[in-house]
Amino acid sequence: MSTIPITKRGAEKLKDELHRLKTVDRPSVIQAIAEARAQGDLSENAEYEAAKDRQGFIEGRIQEIEGKLSAAQIIDPATVDAGGRVVFGTTVELEDESTGDAVTYQIVGEDEADLKLGLINISSPIARALIGKEEGDVAEVQAPGGVRRYEIVGVSYI
């Protein structure tokens, strides 16, 4: 299995979710199953079925997170020295050449990507276009509406 790049902050969020699933959600669903069993006939017990479905989801998510963390390559962007180039974990300030709009993105792993927060997936078209570029370069991104050109205004490792 290949390694999955993830920022230090992203790894902490996954660890927190795993801890919550194991210490809060799993015990509560076990309690719900026990209460549903106490009601008698399980063949027509909707609460029992719902609790079993929830238990399956929780166990699956626990396995998924444990797998991701075991394959994770945790990268702290503050310790990255890429000589001004855009790499994983980099925060990039861009200016759209056609509109002049300024945007800031941080290139992160798949699990921590959230466009509303300015966190873009390393495998997204814009991130792939930015990787390896430096401040002052222009990145061309194939967007659904056509090619968009972004000038890299700033590169930081925070």
Side-chain angles (χ1 to χ4, degrees), residues 101-132:
D101 292 341
V103 291
T104 302
Y105 295 124
Q106 182 179 17
I107 300 173
V108 297
E110 177 184 340
D111 289 307
E112 49 193 326
D114 186 347
L115 191 57
K116 292 180 190 123
L117 299 175
L119 305 172
I120 59 172
N121 186 345
I122 183 77
S123 61
S124 69
I126 191 164
R128 289 194 317 258
L130 293 170
I131 296 292

Short mmCIF file of all heavy atoms in Angstrom, two decimals, residues 101-132:
data_model
loop_
_atom_site.label_atom_id
_atom_site.label_comp_id
_atom_site.label_asym_id
_atom_site.label_seq_id
_atom_site.Cartn_x
_atom_site.Cartn_y
_atom_site.Cartn_z
N ASP A 101 -9.43 38.50 -9.56
CA ASP A 101 -9.79 38.02 -8.23
C ASP A 101 -8.60 37.33 -7.57
O ASP A 101 -7.89 36.56 -8.21
CB ASP A 101 -10.96 37.02 -8.31
CG ASP A 101 -12.26 37.68 -8.74
OD1 ASP A 101 -12.35 38.92 -8.64
OD2 ASP A 101 -13.15 36.95 -9.18
N ALA A 102 -8.42 37.60 -6.28
CA ALA A 102 -7.34 36.97 -5.52
C ALA A 102 -7.94 35.85 -4.67
O ALA A 102 -9.00 36.02 -4.06
CB ALA A 102 -6.65 37.99 -4.63
N VAL A 103 -7.27 34.71 -4.65
CA VAL A 103 -7.68 33.57 -3.83
C VAL A 103 -6.44 32.97 -3.17
O VAL A 103 -5.33 33.11 -3.68
CB VAL A 103 -8.40 32.47 -4.64
CG1 VAL A 103 -9.76 32.95 -5.11
CG2 VAL A 103 -7.57 32.00 -5.80
N THR A 104 -6.66 32.33 -2.03
CA THR A 104 -5.58 31.66 -1.32
C THR A 104 -5.99 30.23 -1.07
O THR A 104 -7.09 29.97 -0.57
CB THR A 104 -5.28 32.37 0.02
OG1 THR A 104 -4.94 33.73 -0.25
CG2 THR A 104 -4.12 31.70 0.74
N TYR A 105 -5.12 29.30 -1.42
CA TYR A 105 -5.38 27.88 -1.22
C TYR A 105 -4.20 27.23 -0.51
O TYR A 105 -3.05 27.64 -0.72
CB TYR A 105 -5.56 27.14 -2.55
CG TYR A 105 -6.76 27.54 -3.35
CD1 TYR A 105 -6.62 27.98 -4.66
CD2 TYR A 105 -8.04 27.46 -2.83
CE1 TYR A 105 -7.73 28.34 -5.42
CE2 TYR A 105 -9.15 27.82 -3.58
CZ TYR A 105 -8.99 28.25 -4.87
OH TYR A 105 -10.07 28.60 -5.61
N GLN A 106 -4.50 26.21 0.28
CA GLN A 106 -3.46 25.35 0.81
C GLN A 106 -3.67 23.99 0.18
O GLN A 106 -4.79 23.48 0.11
CB GLN A 106 -3.51 25.22 2.33
CG GLN A 106 -2.38 24.34 2.86
CD GLN A 106 -2.37 24.20 4.37
OE1 GLN A 106 -3.34 24.48 5.05
NE2 GLN A 106 -1.25 23.74 4.88
N ILE A 107 -2.59 23.37 -0.29
CA ILE A 107 -2.66 22.06 -0.93
C ILE A 107 -2.54 21.00 0.16
O ILE A 107 -1.54 20.93 0.86
CB ILE A 107 -1.57 21.91 -2.00
CG1 ILE A 107 -1.76 22.99 -3.06
CG2 ILE A 107 -1.60 20.53 -2.61
CD1 ILE A 107 -0.65 23.07 -4.09
N VAL A 108 -3.61 20.18 0.30
CA VAL A 108 -3.70 19.21 1.38
C VAL A 108 -4.10 17.84 0.84
O VAL A 108 -4.33 17.69 -0.36
CB VAL A 108 -4.71 19.67 2.46
CG1 VAL A 108 -4.27 20.96 3.12
CG2 VAL A 108 -6.10 19.83 1.86
N GLY A 109 -4.22 16.87 1.73
CA GLY A 109 -4.63 15.53 1.35
C GLY A 109 -6.12 15.43 1.09
O GLY A 109 -6.89 16.34 1.40
N GLU A 110 -6.51 14.31 0.54
CA GLU A 110 -7.90 14.08 0.15
C GLU A 110 -8.89 14.24 1.30
O GLU A 110 -9.95 14.83 1.13
CB GLU A 110 -8.01 12.67 -0.44
CG GLU A 110 -9.40 12.26 -0.84
CD GLU A 110 -9.45 10.82 -1.34
OE1 GLU A 110 -8.40 10.26 -1.72
OE2 GLU A 110 -10.55 10.26 -1.31
N ASP A 111 -8.56 13.72 2.47
CA ASP A 111 -9.49 13.73 3.60
C ASP A 111 -9.68 15.10 4.24
O ASP A 111 -10.66 15.32 4.93
CB ASP A 111 -9.03 12.75 4.68
CG ASP A 111 -9.19 11.32 4.24
OD1 ASP A 111 -10.31 10.97 3.82
OD2 ASP A 111 -8.20 10.57 4.30
N GLU A 112 -8.75 15.99 4.03
CA GLU A 112 -8.85 17.29 4.69
C GLU A 112 -9.26 18.41 3.74
O GLU A 112 -9.42 19.55 4.16
CB GLU A 112 -7.54 17.62 5.40
CG GLU A 112 -6.32 17.44 4.54
CD GLU A 112 -5.02 17.46 5.32
OE1 GLU A 112 -4.91 18.20 6.31
OE2 GLU A 112 -4.11 16.74 4.92
N ALA A 113 -9.46 18.10 2.49
CA ALA A 113 -9.83 19.12 1.51
C ALA A 113 -11.20 19.71 1.82
O ALA A 113 -12.14 19.00 2.13
CB ALA A 113 -9.82 18.52 0.10
N ASP A 114 -11.29 21.04 1.76
CA ASP A 114 -12.54 21.76 1.96
C ASP A 114 -12.39 23.10 1.26
O ASP A 114 -11.74 24.02 1.77
CB ASP A 114 -12.81 21.95 3.45
CG ASP A 114 -14.17 22.58 3.73
OD1 ASP A 114 -14.81 23.10 2.79
OD2 ASP A 114 -14.59 22.55 4.90
N LEU A 115 -13.00 23.23 0.10
CA LEU A 115 -12.83 24.42 -0.72
C LEU A 115 -13.29 25.68 -0.01
O LEU A 115 -12.69 26.74 -0.17
CB LEU A 115 -13.57 24.25 -2.05
CG LEU A 115 -13.27 25.28 -3.13
CD1 LEU A 115 -11.77 25.33 -3.44
CD2 LEU A 115 -14.06 25.00 -4.37
N LYS A 116 -14.34 25.56 0.82
CA LYS A 116 -14.84 26.73 1.55
C LYS A 116 -13.78 27.29 2.50
O LYS A 116 -13.77 28.48 2.79
CB LYS A 116 -16.09 26.37 2.34
CG LYS A 116 -17.28 26.06 1.47
CD LYS A 116 -18.49 25.70 2.32
CE LYS A 116 -19.59 25.17 1.45
NZ LYS A 116 -20.03 23.84 1.82
N LEU A 117 -12.90 26.42 2.98
CA LEU A 117 -11.83 26.85 3.89
C LEU A 117 -10.53 27.12 3.14
O LEU A 117 -9.50 27.39 3.76
CB LEU A 117 -11.59 25.78 4.96
CG LEU A 117 -12.78 25.46 5.87
CD1 LEU A 117 -12.45 24.32 6.81
CD2 LEU A 117 -13.20 26.69 6.65
N GLY A 118 -10.54 27.00 1.82
CA GLY A 118 -9.34 27.23 1.02
C GLY A 118 -8.38 26.06 1.03
O GLY A 118 -7.20 26.22 0.77
N LEU A 119 -8.87 24.86 1.34
CA LEU A 119 -8.05 23.65 1.38
C LEU A 119 -8.37 22.81 0.16
O LEU A 119 -9.49 22.33 0.02
CB LEU A 119 -8.32 22.85 2.65
CG LEU A 119 -8.15 23.61 3.98
CD1 LEU A 119 -8.63 22.77 5.14
CD2 LEU A 119 -6.71 24.03 4.17
N ILE A 120 -7.40 22.66 -0.77
CA ILE A 120 -7.66 21.91 -1.99
C ILE A 120 -6.88 20.61 -2.01
O ILE A 120 -5.75 20.53 -1.53
CB ILE A 120 -7.37 22.74 -3.26
CG1 ILE A 120 -5.91 23.21 -3.32
CG2 ILE A 120 -8.33 23.92 -3.37
CD1 ILE A 120 -5.52 23.87 -4.62
N ASN A 121 -7.52 19.61 -2.58
CA ASN A 121 -6.97 18.26 -2.67
C ASN A 121 -5.75 18.24 -3.59
O ASN A 121 -5.77 18.84 -4.66
CB ASN A 121 -8.06 17.33 -3.21
CG ASN A 121 -7.68 15.88 -3.23
OD1 ASN A 121 -6.52 15.52 -3.11
ND2 ASN A 121 -8.67 15.03 -3.41
N ILE A 122 -4.71 17.54 -3.18
CA ILE A 122 -3.47 17.42 -3.96
C ILE A 122 -3.73 16.88 -5.36
O ILE A 122 -3.01 17.20 -6.30
CB ILE A 122 -2.42 16.55 -3.22
CG1 ILE A 122 -1.10 16.46 -3.96
CG2 ILE A 122 -2.94 15.15 -2.98
CD1 ILE A 122 -0.25 17.67 -3.84
N SER A 123 -4.78 16.08 -5.53
CA SER A 123 -5.05 15.50 -6.85
C SER A 123 -6.04 16.32 -7.67
O SER A 123 -6.41 15.91 -8.77
CB SER A 123 -5.53 14.06 -6.70
OG SER A 123 -6.73 14.03 -5.96
N SER A 124 -6.46 17.48 -7.17
CA SER A 124 -7.38 18.33 -7.93
C SER A 124 -6.65 18.97 -9.11
O SER A 124 -5.42 19.14 -9.07
CB SER A 124 -7.98 19.42 -7.03
OG SER A 124 -6.97 20.35 -6.67
N PRO A 125 -7.38 19.33 -10.16
CA PRO A 125 -6.72 19.94 -11.33
C PRO A 125 -5.92 21.20 -11.00
O PRO A 125 -4.82 21.38 -11.51
CB PRO A 125 -7.89 20.27 -12.26
CG PRO A 125 -8.98 19.32 -11.86
CD PRO A 125 -8.80 19.11 -10.40
N ILE A 126 -6.44 22.04 -10.12
CA ILE A 126 -5.71 23.28 -9.81
C ILE A 126 -4.43 22.98 -9.03
O ILE A 126 -3.39 23.56 -9.29
CB ILE A 126 -6.61 24.30 -9.08
CG1 ILE A 126 -5.90 25.66 -9.01
CG2 ILE A 126 -7.01 23.83 -7.71
CD1 ILE A 126 -6.79 26.81 -8.69
N ALA A 127 -4.50 22.04 -8.10
CA ALA A 127 -3.29 21.69 -7.33
C ALA A 127 -2.24 21.07 -8.25
O ALA A 127 -1.05 21.39 -8.14
CB ALA A 127 -3.64 20.74 -6.20
N ARG A 128 -2.67 20.19 -9.14
CA ARG A 128 -1.71 19.56 -10.07
C ARG A 128 -1.06 20.62 -10.97
O ARG A 128 0.12 20.51 -11.31
CB ARG A 128 -2.41 18.49 -10.91
CG ARG A 128 -2.76 17.26 -10.10
CD ARG A 128 -3.14 16.07 -10.97
NE ARG A 128 -3.99 16.38 -12.08
CZ ARG A 128 -5.29 16.16 -12.14
NH1 ARG A 128 -5.90 15.62 -11.12
NH2 ARG A 128 -6.00 16.47 -13.21
N ALA A 129 -1.82 21.65 -11.34
CA ALA A 129 -1.27 22.71 -12.18
C ALA A 129 -0.27 23.58 -11.41
O ALA A 129 0.65 24.14 -12.00
CB ALA A 129 -2.39 23.58 -12.74
N LEU A 130 -0.45 23.67 -10.10
CA LEU A 130 0.41 24.54 -9.28
C LEU A 130 1.70 23.85 -8.83
O LEU A 130 2.71 24.53 -8.63
CB LEU A 130 -0.36 25.02 -8.05
CG LEU A 130 -1.54 25.95 -8.30
CD1 LEU A 130 -2.33 26.15 -7.02
CD2 LEU A 130 -1.05 27.28 -8.85
N ILE A 131 1.68 22.55 -8.64
CA ILE A 131 2.84 21.83 -8.11
C ILE A 131 4.08 22.11 -8.98
O ILE A 131 4.05 21.98 -10.19
CB ILE A 131 2.56 20.30 -8.04
CG1 ILE A 131 1.44 20.00 -7.05
CG2 ILE A 131 3.83 19.51 -7.69
CD1 ILE A 131 1.76 20.26 -5.60
N GLY A 132 5.15 22.48 -8.29
CA GLY A 132 6.43 22.72 -8.96
C GLY A 132 6.62 24.15 -9.44
O GLY A 132 7.73 24.54 -9.79
#
